Amino acid sequence: MITVLLFAHLQESVGKDRIQLPIERTTVKELKTELQQTYPLPELDRVMTAVNEEFAKNDRLIKAGDVVAFIPPISGG
Amino acid sequence: MITVLLFAHLQESVGKDRIQLPIERTTVKELKTELQQTYPLPELDRVMTAVNEEFAKNDRLIKAGDVVAFIPPISGG
Amino acid sequence: MASELFEIVEESIEVGDVIKKVERREAGAITTFIGTVREWTQGKQTVYLEYQAYIPMAVKMLSQIGDEVKAQWPDTIIAITHRIGRLDISEIAVVIAVSSPHRKAAYQANEYAIERIKQIVPIWKKEHWTDGETWIGDQLENVPYKAGKPTIKEIEG
Amino acid sequence: MASELFEIVEESIEVGDVIKKVERREAGAITTFIGTVREWTQGKQTVYLEYQAYIPMAVKMLSQIGDEVKAQWPDTIIAITHRIGRLDISEIAVVIAVSSPHRKAAYQANEYAIERIKQIVPIWKKEHWTDGETWIGDQLENVPYKAGKPTIKEIEG
């Protein structure tokens, strides 16, 4: 199982703040493509990704148990 | 009468914080020389002068009623 | 104690509490940055703001900024508190306090920290206007990245 | 009100009081500089400090710094309070608060102000050590002027 966390407008687009996916292994890029087939998330191509609270590139491997968060452009401070 | 204000170590050298001088007209430079004849103020050559709360150069004229302050190198802040 | 130098909170921030964390007898200079909710941005009136954070990662990134500051300005101590939730006009969203024996480093480290917060700390704000609302960052002018998306280099510091 | 933006006081300074003077709804950034009494300076231990000021001129010069800041960063508001008298270690000698719609100006104006205070505001400190005391400025290392004495240009800004 992979946990996906959603924030800001991504959270509102999907209508929830987390998605659980029964996946064993994937990559950031594949996960984005997969999510876009189910949810209205065109912005996913333009957001950063964190795996287990660390920023990750598109080719980063993800395995069961990982927590993936999509990080839209930051506007804190 | 001209009032001279002394601060910091100048005040301690002279033993008071102000001197009244029965002078009608002088310049900053002349005033310094005059004071040095009476008081132990060798540092006067190296301090700034303010006349009526404004910084003044050595050739600035001083007349009766003016308040002259000697401003040793500043160490506030 | 060290873990409390970097906090995400839901209640209002007391500037003095953040300053206290960096005070010490060998520091002669403390700088603070206080970010407040501005009423007007480019002619648009804000009614209130809502901040959301990915809290554990935000704390981790604030702490990473602390490490970066320590590496560049070894004599400084820095503390950062960011508030989330609903904030009204003039309320404090973020406080950064830096103490240092000398003032130059205290200014530089402080300004560095706010720039980095806007690059790597996962916090988002939603502007609420009289006539609508939107999450800031994507759609609006103040996307913090030059290229529309941060590079890994910007993120890793 | 405007006259209270620049103060010389004899009691302890509350940072929050100085910040309040510059808070406003259109400012999203406030920077503060807090100068405290440092225990150690170049290996020498300070027991306490004594600050003396030429008060009316000091207030006037602080206000002149305010004018200079206003000319260079028109959107900022600045307030400065400097304490005089006896100060113990860690006590606050000076607080500078600057508010601005944007943070860059708030940092720049604040740092400009502390540099100018050290050039033109007639305040002197006397260091008291365990083994003696001296007025700082003349005899010691931290004479604030490059040439040992300020030029009229430095003073007039």
Side-chain angles (χ1 to χ4, degrees), chain D residues 90-155:
Chain D
S90 289
E91 287 198 293
I92 297 173
V94 64
V95 174
I96 304 169
V98 176
S99 68
S100 165
H102 301 286
R103 63 184 182 280
K104 194 80 198 166
Y107 281 109
Q108 288 178 343
N110 199 305
E111 189 165 8
Y112 176 85
I114 185 66
E115 298 301 330
R116 290 295 281 160
I117 286 172
K118 288 170 182 288
Q119 287 175 343
I120 67 165
V121 181
I123 300 178
W124 302 272
K125 76 174 165 198
K126 189 178 195 174
E127 294 258 9
H128 291 259
W129 304 300
T130 43
D131 62 346
E133 54 179 51
T134 195
W135 287 100
I136 303 297
D138 238 343
Q139 309 91 332
L140 277 192
E141 67 294 343
N142 56 352
V143 173
Y145 313 112
K146 292 181 199 93
K149 181 174 153 178
T151 60
I152 285 289
K153 191 170 171 304
E154 280 176 318
I155 281 161

Side-chain angles (χ1 to χ4, degrees), chain A residues 5-12 32 43 45-50 52-58 67-77, chain C residues 51-54 56-57 60-61 82 93-94 114 117-126 135-138 143-145 148-150 152 155:
Chain A
L5 303 180
L6 301 168
F7 298 96
H9 59 277
L10 301 180
Q11 190 177 101
E12 292 180 355
K32 285 181 175 177
E43 315 92 319
D45 300 330
R46 288 177 287 121
V47 306
M48 291 294 297
T49 308
N52 301 330
E53 300 172 12
E54 285 188 359
F55 285 106
K57 297 184 190 176
N58 266 337
V67 177
V68 179
F70 293 113
I71 313 285
I74 287 161
S75 52
Chain C
Y51 279 97
Q52 190 182 74
Y54 179 14
M57 183 171 170
K60 201 168 162 179
M61 289 296 118
H82 201 301
V94 63
I114 184 66
I117 286 172
K118 288 169 183 290
Q119 288 174 345
I120 67 166
V121 181
I123 300 178
W124 302 273
K125 75 174 166 197
K126 190 180 195 174
W135 287 100
I136 304 296
D138 240 342
V143 173
Y145 312 112
K149 180 174 153 178
I152 285 287
I155 281 161

Side-chain angles (χ1 to χ4, degrees), chain B residues 8-26:
Chain B
H9 59 277
L10 300 181
Q11 190 178 100
E12 292 182 355
S13 299
V14 171
K16 49 189 174 182
D17 63 5
R18 66 180 57 210
I19 299 169
Q20 304 270 2
L21 293 170
I23 295 173
E24 276 305 308
R25 280 174 72 85
T26 184

Side-chain angles (χ1 to χ4, degrees), chain C residues 13-19 30-36 90 92 94-97, chain D residues 1 4-5 7 13-25 27 29-34 77-81 92 95-100 110:
Chain C
I13 304 174
E14 288 296 324
V15 178
D17 292 346
V18 187
I19 291 173
I30 299 173
T31 53
T32 68
F33 175 82
I34 304 164
T36 60
S90 289
I92 297 172
V94 63
V95 174
I96 305 168
Chain D
M1 182 62 196
E4 290 168 20
L5 290 174
E7 288 191 283
I13 304 175
E14 288 296 324
V15 177
D17 292 345
V18 186
I19 291 174
K20 272 197 198 76
K21 294 180 188 177
V22 302
E23 277 176 354
R24 55 212 164 103
R25 296 168 74 85
I30 299 173
T31 53
T32 68
F33 175 82
I34 303 164
I77 291 185
I78 180 168
I80 307 172
T81 301
I92 297 173
V95 174
I96 304 169
V98 176
S99 68
S100 165
N110 199 305

Side-chain angles (χ1 to χ4, degrees), chain C residues 34-105:
Chain C
I34 304 164
T36 60
V37 178
R38 195 171 49 198
E39 183 168 20
W40 295 94
T41 299
Q42 306 196 341
K44 228 171 149 91
Q45 185 176 16
T46 298
V47 180
Y48 69 94
L49 286 188
E50 219 183 309
Y51 279 97
Q52 190 182 74
Y54 179 14
I55 297 177
M57 183 171 170
V59 172
K60 201 168 162 179
M61 289 296 118
L62 289 176
S63 171
Q64 177 184 317
I65 293 170
D67 293 342
E68 293 173 11
V69 162
K70 206 76 189 168
Q72 288 183 68
W73 297 277
D75 283 342
T76 59
I77 291 185
I78 180 167
I80 307 174
T81 301
H82 201 301
R83 182 176 171 190
I84 55 173
R86 178 190 162 129
L87 275 80
D88 293 318
I89 306 301
S90 289
E91 287 198 293
I92 297 172
V94 63
V95 174
I96 305 168
V98 176
S99 68
S100 166
H102 301 287
R103 64 186 182 277
K104 194 81 198 167

